[in-house]
Structures are given as C-alpha cells and as structure tokens.
Amino acid sequence: MQSVREWARGRGFTYHFIGDELLTALPDDLRRRTREQPVVGSDIGRLIWLQRHLDDGACAAVWLDADTWIFDPDRLELPAGNAAVGREHWVQRSKKRLRCYRKVHNAAMLFRSGNSLLPFYRDTAERLLRAYEGERVVPQFVGPKLLTALHSISQFPVWEQAGAFSPAVITDLMGGTGAALALMTQGGHRPAAANLCCSSVQRGELDAATLAQLLEDAPAVRARIAGSPA
C-alpha cells in the first residue's frame, strides 16, 4: 500500500484508503448474500465506491487492491481511454508443464467520468450474483472470471502495465530468472505494477517470507522484468 500512496502522491492524485466500509456500501440483499464471503462482496463494493467518487466530481477514479505493488512507478501511466481493467498473465504448472493464461483482472481498474463500462459491469455483476443459486459463490465469480468472460466478447480496454505475479513468477524473480518469468514476459509484457495475490500465501502456494523479501528489492525486480527475453 505504501508503494501506491507514494505513486499517487507523485502523480498529484488524491489517495483514499477504503477499509471495512467497502462492504457496508453493498445493497442489503447482496451484503447478506456475501456475509461469509467478503472477497466476493468486495468485487461489488469496489464498483460502488468508484462510482461514488465519480458522482462526487472526480474526473477519474482508480482502484488498486491492497496487495498491488507498484515496483516501477515512473513507468506506471494511466491509460488514455475512459476505462481500463488490469492485465493478467498467470503462469502455473499444468500437466507437468508451465502454461500462461492470458486474462484480465479487477485488482487494478480505471474509470473516467462519463464512461459506460463501470455501470455495465456493476449491473451485470449484481444481477448475476442475485441469480446465483449455489450455497456458496464460486471465488472470483463477479471479479476476474466475469471480467474475462465479458472481455472475450467485448474486448475491454486493458491497462497492460497493471499486471499480476503468480507464485511461479515470484519464485523466478527471487532467483533472478526462470521459465515462468520468461513465459510471463513473452511477447513484450512488461508490467510496472503487479497484484501479488496474497491469497496464495493463505493457500500454501507461496511463502510469506519470500513475498516480504521480494518487496525489499524493487530495483532488482525492475531489472529482471526488463532483461527477460521478449
């Protein structure tokens, strides 16, 4: 979060940290629906808060998850269009080989005043959540899963510099190089910020000490991202 605060200050943006009030903004029925799954509720809550800031007169509103790390602030520029969602090149092992899944995510989003994407995304997410019949909502149901499905049809504007690091990529960044890092950056993908997906630590896929060590050496990460084969 410190990296985001410093980036916002350096760009002259107003920074607003949102805590538990993120979930209290939900309509009553959706708050009850997601009471045991606050991560799902947060996917709706962030859209409500972004719209509130725009309604209050902001010319643009940016959302960055608490586990988003801006390791190259000089290169992180806001996209020029009215809206954009984050880019995800997720590298993981599948059937004994590494694969890269190219998707979009909602850990980083930009919406400018007058955009049409935010109200469309919010309305779709709320309708699907209300119509969901399972006892527990599938993780990322109205977050990255919905965004990626809609993106495959509508081709949303994408904030390419706002990426994500999978545990496999973080391991390679700590080691200096590796196949996962090379796969993520294949084709010239060079993020300046990354969602670190801290839930990977909770699932035992990534060691917390490794993540903490990564955050201590932004210059090395910048160099390894820049030096990875395109």
Side-chain angles (χ1 to χ4, degrees):
M1 288 187 289
Q2 182 63 29
S3 72
V4 175
R5 283 193 291 265
E6 292 175 354
W7 173 76
R9 182 170 58 247
R11 299 282 172 158
F13 301 154
T14 299
Y15 174 86
H16 181 194
F17 171 78
I18 300 177
D20 291 344
E21 64 269 30
L22 176 69
L23 300 177
T24 61
L26 270 66
D28 290 343
D29 63 323
L30 296 184
R31 191 164 62 249
R32 290 191 298 269
R33 184 76 172 83
T34 61
R35 183 176 292 118
E36 303 301 322
Q37 294 182 276
V39 172
V40 176
S42 76
D43 288 332
I44 300 290
R46 67 190 64 188
L47 304 179
I48 295 172
W49 276 97
L50 285 164
Q51 189 61 62
R52 284 184 179 180
H53 282 296
L54 293 175
D55 291 344
D56 287 342
C59 61
V62 176
W63 173 273
L64 293 169
D65 271 9
D67 55 353
T68 294
W69 180 37
I70 302 178
F71 57 88
D72 198 348
D74 291 341
R75 278 204 311 114
L76 186 63
E77 303 283 350
L78 293 184
N82 277 343
V85 297
R87 169 64 72 193
E88 181 174 295
H89 285 225
W90 190 262
V91 180
Q92 66 181 40
R93 192 163 297 279
S94 176
K95 295 182 179 179
K96 298 184 179 181
R97 69 184 183 94
L98 286 173
R99 293 189 62 183
C100 182
Y101 300 88
R102 191 169 182 264
K103 306 177 182 180
V104 293
H105 65 75
N106 67 339
M109 296 184 290
L110 159 72
F111 298 104
R112 288 191 166 89
S113 179
N115 80 91
S116 60
L117 177 55
L118 176 55
F120 167 70
Y121 176 27
R122 177 182 169 183
D123 177 69
T124 304
E126 291 187 2
R127 284 191 295 104
L128 288 177
L129 191 54
R130 288 187 171 102
Y132 191 86
E133 296 181 351
E135 183 176 344
R136 288 183 63 82
V137 180
V138 175
Q140 301 185 347
F141 176 60
V142 292
K145 289 182 184 297
L146 174 57
L147 267 184
T148 297
L150 294 173
H151 176 65
S152 66
I153 300 171
S154 303
Q155 292 299 296
F156 296 149
V158 179
W159 194 356
E160 298 288 350
Q161 296 172 319
F165 289 162
S166 70
V169 168
I170 290 174
T171 298
D172 280 2
L173 285 169
M174 292 299 300
T177 188
L181 176 60
L183 194 55
M184 185 196 74
T185 56
Q186 193 174 52
H189 180 57
R190 297 288 191 272
N195 179 253
L196 300 179
C197 305
C198 289
S199 57
S200 298
V201 175
Q202 299 169 353
R203 294 192 298 267
E205 300 168 355
L206 183 66
D207 184 69
T210 299
L211 197 56
Q213 187 178 353
L214 180 78
L215 294 172
E216 294 295 322
D217 203 355
V221 170
R222 290 196 294 268
R224 288 163 187 169
I225 291 282
S228 184

